[in-house]
């Protein structure tokens, strides 16, 4: 995603140098967000999830090196080493390696029938397995786990989800919103095992049964693991690049090495608007940060200071988030939690840090404006259904 | 009053509120009218990313945003200003004759 955002933006910014896009995946950039949803449910084909066909890159004069994994980088000679040994010289390097799923090393997780979901190839394999499975066990109820569970239920599978937290997604979204989502999954017939962990998987040729730490045994013919991702930095581990929960970059996406930039899930950047570092694992950030890096490369650096944004679709539920991840001390709900049709505001010392809408898309952008303005709003006003959020956001904007 | 050739009558100009997004259909094809700073724009009513009705969307700085995933389209040209959409939104020509808004049957080319 970040690579695609950068490729487009580089040419748009008038950069006419030679550009090469190297990807270990054998496919042009595609919309990864569909993999757990429309693609998994068979509603979209590979062609339909590509951002642009291969010819588009030809038109932009961008050379594609697909299915070619970089095995090393040499910053002294300014060369990227590809498997099996070709060396690609560069003046400027944009690192957009993304993130990789965390692998569970518990007994039985090496059996066939255990899947992770990150790449198109993962999604194709999972879709194939899913077509033959009746009982699906999802390990981890983060966004990937929750979306895969929803897709599997939509396809009519029996689904059990195990997560160590008592409330799913409580980390990024809090207890209040996490509880609402848990209820939606229960209502759709998902068996939730919250506050529990899988101890091991058992099976002869494939995973056939999970044993929880509680001793409960859950029969399954497919296991999907979604327990988070890590920034994909292995290639740069001993390269001299500063790495700390991702590749450290400044507000212009620049690393400590001149001409070397990073963007997307792999980049841990200094956000000048809020005065701290962020690393965001979502589509919108990858697209925008890739473009921001491209502008910096093209000689027009502008501080990258967005309000991070993402969405998640589960069943017919649409969730959108705009804001700064991090601690809050108050959650204000507006609307109907049971329907659900609700907006949640996350406040820290009275300042709106983030907003989440569930099936209330029209409140997202006004909420986002409050976040952007670092507005202080009386919680009672936010919760009051008669408050016109657009007018409120407008007045805050004008007061800036 | 007959419509200009290749155009259909949609609504009286005065009936469209400033800042309003008005859905309408031409032969079952969903479209929207937008009135901003007095000017009328006509665009396809469905996001080019996934099925979502842009009449439920939001306007900001001459961009219409999809209600579901935040794709942005320039009101004037339909150009994508914010992903996840990558295909532009079809836009239609608008004429106002005797206070009535007419919209072209066919999208504007290029």
């Amino acid at each position: 995603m970040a690579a695609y955002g950068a490729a487009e933006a580089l040419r748009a910014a008038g950069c006419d140098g030679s550009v090469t896009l190297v990807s270990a995946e054998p496919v042009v950039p595609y919309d990864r967000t569909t993999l757990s949803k429309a693609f998994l449910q068979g509603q979209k084909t590979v062609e339909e999830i590509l951002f642009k066909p291969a010819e588009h890159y030809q038109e932009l004069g961008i050379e594609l090196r697909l299915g070619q994994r970089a095995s090393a980088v040499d910053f002294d000679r300014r060369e990227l080493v590809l498997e099996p040994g070709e060396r690609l010289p560069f003046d400027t390097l944009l690192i957009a390696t993304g993130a990789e799923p965390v692998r569970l090393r518990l007994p039985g997780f090496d059996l066939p029938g255990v899947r992770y979901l990150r790449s198109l190839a993962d999604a194709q394999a999972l879709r194939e397995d899913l077509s033959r499975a009746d009982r699906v066990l999802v390990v981890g109820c983060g966004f990937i786990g929750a979306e895969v569970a929803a897709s599997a239920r939509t396809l009519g599978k029996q689904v059990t989800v195990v997560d160590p937290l008592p409330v799913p997604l409580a980390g990024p979204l809090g207890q209040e919103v996490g509880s609402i989502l848990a209820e939606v999954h229960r209502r759709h017939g998902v068996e939730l095992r919250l506050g529990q962990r899988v101890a091991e998987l058992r099976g002869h040729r494939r995973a056939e049964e999970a044993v929880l730490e509680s001793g409960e045994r859950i029969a399954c013919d497919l296991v999907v693991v979604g327990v988070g991702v890590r920034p994909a930095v292995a290639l740069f581990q001993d390269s001299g690049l500063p790495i700390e929960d991702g590749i450290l970059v400044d507000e212009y996406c620049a690393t400590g090495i001149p001409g070397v930039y990073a963007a997307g899930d792999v980049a841990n950047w200094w956000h000048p608007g809020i005065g701290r570092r962020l690393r965001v694992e979502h589509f919108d950030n990858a697209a925008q940060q890739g473009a921001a890096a491209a502008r910096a490369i093209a000689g027009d650096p502008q501080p990258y200071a967005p309000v991070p944004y993402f969405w998640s679709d589960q069943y017919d539920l649409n969730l959108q988030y705009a804001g700064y991840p991090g601690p809050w001390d108050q959650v204000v709900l507006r609307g109907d939690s049971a329907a659900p049709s609700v907006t949640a505001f996350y406040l820290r010392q009275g300042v709106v840090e983030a907003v989440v809408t569930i099936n209330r898309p029209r409140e997202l952008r006004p909420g986002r404006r409050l976040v952007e303005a670092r507005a202080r709003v009386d919680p009672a006003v936010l919760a009051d259904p008669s408050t016109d959020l657009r007018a409120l956001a407008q007045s805050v904007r004008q007061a800036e | 009053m007959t419509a200009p050739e290749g155009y259909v009558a949609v609504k009286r100009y005065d009936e469209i509120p400033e800042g309003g997004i008005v859905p309408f259909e031409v032969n079952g094809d969903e479209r929207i009218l937008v009135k901003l700073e007095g000017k009328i724009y006509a665009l396809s009513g469905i996001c080019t990313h996934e099925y979502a009705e842009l009449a439920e969307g939001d306007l900001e700085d001459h961009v219409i945003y999809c209600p579901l995933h935040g794709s942005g389209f320039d009101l004037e040209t339909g150009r994508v200003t914010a992903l996840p959409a990558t295909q532009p939104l079809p836009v239609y020509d608008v004429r106002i004759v005797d206070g009535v808004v007419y919209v072209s049957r066919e999208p504007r080319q290029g």
Side-chain angles (χ1 to χ4, degrees):
Chain A
M1 174 72 260
Y4 168 75
E8 294 277 316
L10 264 176
R11 291 310 189 207
C15 169
D16 56 5
S18 88
V19 176
T20 306
L21 198 161
V22 179
S23 175
E25 291 189 63
V27 59
V28 290
Y30 56 89
D31 184 349
R32 218 179 272 290
T33 66
T34 62
L35 297 183
S36 51
K37 301 181 278 269
F39 183 82
L40 199 56
Q41 292 172 39
Q43 295 165 356
K44 288 206 175 189
T45 63
V46 172
E47 287 69 32
E48 287 169 329
I49 69 169
L50 304 179
F51 293 124
K52 292 286 164 74
E55 304 84 69
H56 176 74
Y57 299 88
Q58 212 168 359
E59 284 161 21
L60 289 178
I62 292 172
E63 185 188 346
L64 296 174
R65 295 292 198 112
L66 304 178
Q68 300 192 27
R69 183 176 290 277
S71 57
V73 64
D74 182 338
F75 285 121
D76 294 329
R77 297 174 61 170
R78 295 187 91 80
E79 287 175 340
L80 188 68
V81 185
L82 303 182
E83 289 173 2
E86 187 188 355
R87 302 177 81 93
L88 270 186
F90 61 83
D91 300 314
T92 304
L93 181 70
L94 171 59
I95 300 165
T97 46
E100 306 163 324
V102 173
R103 307 271 160 180
L104 281 183
R105 304 291 178 201
L106 297 167
F109 277 80
D110 51 355
L111 284 166
V114 179
R115 294 287 179 193
Y116 292 80
L117 179 54
R118 176 74 188 179
S119 66
L120 177 58
D122 292 341
Q124 286 168 320
L126 178 56
R127 192 157 88 166
E128 184 68 24
D129 280 3
L130 205 48
S131 70
R132 285 191 289 260
D134 295 316
R135 294 161 305 181
V136 180
L137 175 72
V138 179
V139 181
C141 198
F143 288 107
I144 289 292
E147 289 176 1
V148 167
S151 292
R153 269 311 286 158
T154 301
L155 292 170
K157 312 300 177 185
Q158 289 179 43
V159 179
T160 305
V161 180
V162 183
D163 192 281
L165 294 176
V167 176
L169 289 158
L173 301 180
Q175 308 276 338
E176 298 83 352
V177 170
S179 303
I180 291 169
L181 293 174
E183 189 49 38
V184 166
H185 282 278
R186 277 191 204 102
R187 216 184 292 161
H188 279 88
V190 171
E191 292 282 334
L192 293 178
R193 295 288 182 275
L194 301 174
Q196 302 200 43
R197 289 172 191 276
V198 177
E200 64 171 313
L201 296 178
R202 292 178 184 164
H204 294 295
R205 292 202 181 85
R206 293 178 62 84
E208 292 167 348
E209 171 182 83
V211 183
L212 305 191
E213 284 182 353
S214 65
E216 185 186 356
R217 294 159 63 164
I218 299 171
C220 55
D221 28 43
L222 174 62
V223 178
V224 188
V225 183
V227 293
V229 295
R230 287 197 191 102
V233 296
L235 182 59
F236 306 99
Q237 211 57 262
D238 302 310
S239 68
L241 268 187
I243 294 172
E244 194 186 311
D245 181 33
I247 292 172
L248 297 181
V249 294
D250 63 15
E251 66 262 50
Y252 306 107
C253 313
T255 67
I257 298 178
V260 179
Y261 299 79
D265 293 15
V266 76
N268 183 340
W269 94 99
W270 178 259
H271 190 304
I274 54 172
R276 61 185 164 98
R277 289 195 162 277
L278 283 182
R279 193 176 65 76
V280 172
E281 296 163 353
H282 294 288
F283 175 96
D284 186 65
N285 180 64
Q288 299 216 46
Q289 198 169 25
R295 283 190 295 270
I297 290 166
D300 179 26
Q302 288 158 24
Y304 180 63
V307 176
Y309 165 78
F310 66 82
W311 74 85
S312 177
D313 296 325
Q314 298 167 31
Y315 314 101
D316 51 1
L317 176 146
N318 172 255
L319 178 149
Q320 297 181 68
Y321 174 107
Y324 306 113
W328 60 83
D329 49 41
Q330 189 177 7
V331 176
V332 179
L333 295 180
R334 170 188 173 88
D336 178 359
S337 299
S341 165
V342 67
T343 295
F345 296 94
Y346 300 74
L347 279 67
R348 188 181 183 196
Q349 295 171 352
V351 175
V352 184
E353 292 283 339
V355 59
V356 166
T357 61
I358 296 178
N359 296 336
R360 278 164 94 89
R362 283 204 150 165
E363 298 197 336
L364 192 272
R365 295 198 75 81
R368 181 184 179 282
R369 272 173 240 164
L370 296 177
V371 173
E372 196 168 36
R374 319 248 343 112
R376 286 176 188 277
V377 187
D378 181 351
V381 170
L382 291 175
D384 182 351
S386 69
T387 299
D388 181 341
L389 279 187
R390 279 170 198 235
L392 181 66
Q394 204 64 36
S395 68
V396 165
R397 210 185 190 194
Q398 275 156 7
E400 273 180 78
Chain B
M1 174 54 57
T2 54
E5 196 178 330
Y7 282 70
V8 288
V10 181
K11 212 172 176 62
R12 291 201 63 80
Y13 177 88
D14 296 345
E15 291 172 358
I16 306 167
E18 169 62 24
I21 309 172
V22 177
F24 68 102
E25 286 188 16
V26 177
N27 298 335
D29 201 17
E30 295 180 60
R31 300 187 193 171
I32 50 169
L33 283 183
V34 174
K35 191 192 232 179
L36 197 63
E37 292 160 9
K39 189 170 176 190
I40 302 285
Y41 303 86
L43 303 101
S44 165
I46 304 300
C47 183
T48 62
H49 170 239
E50 282 185 12
Y51 186 88
E53 294 179 4
L54 294 175
E56 299 300 315
D58 208 349
L59 292 171
E60 205 174 285
D61 300 332
H62 288 83
V63 170
I64 184 154
Y65 288 94
C66 169
L68 291 190
H69 310 123
S71 293
F73 302 95
D74 183 278
L75 285 181
E76 186 75 54
T77 62
R79 185 178 59 86
V80 174
T81 63
L83 296 171
T86 56
Q87 297 302 317
L89 193 66
V91 293
Y92 298 86
D93 288 316
V94 174
R95 284 202 206 167
I96 300 166
V97 183
D98 293 340
V100 175
V101 176
Y102 294 89
V103 173
S104 64
R105 289 183 182 277
E106 300 300 323
R108 195 187 303 157
Q109 299 299 316

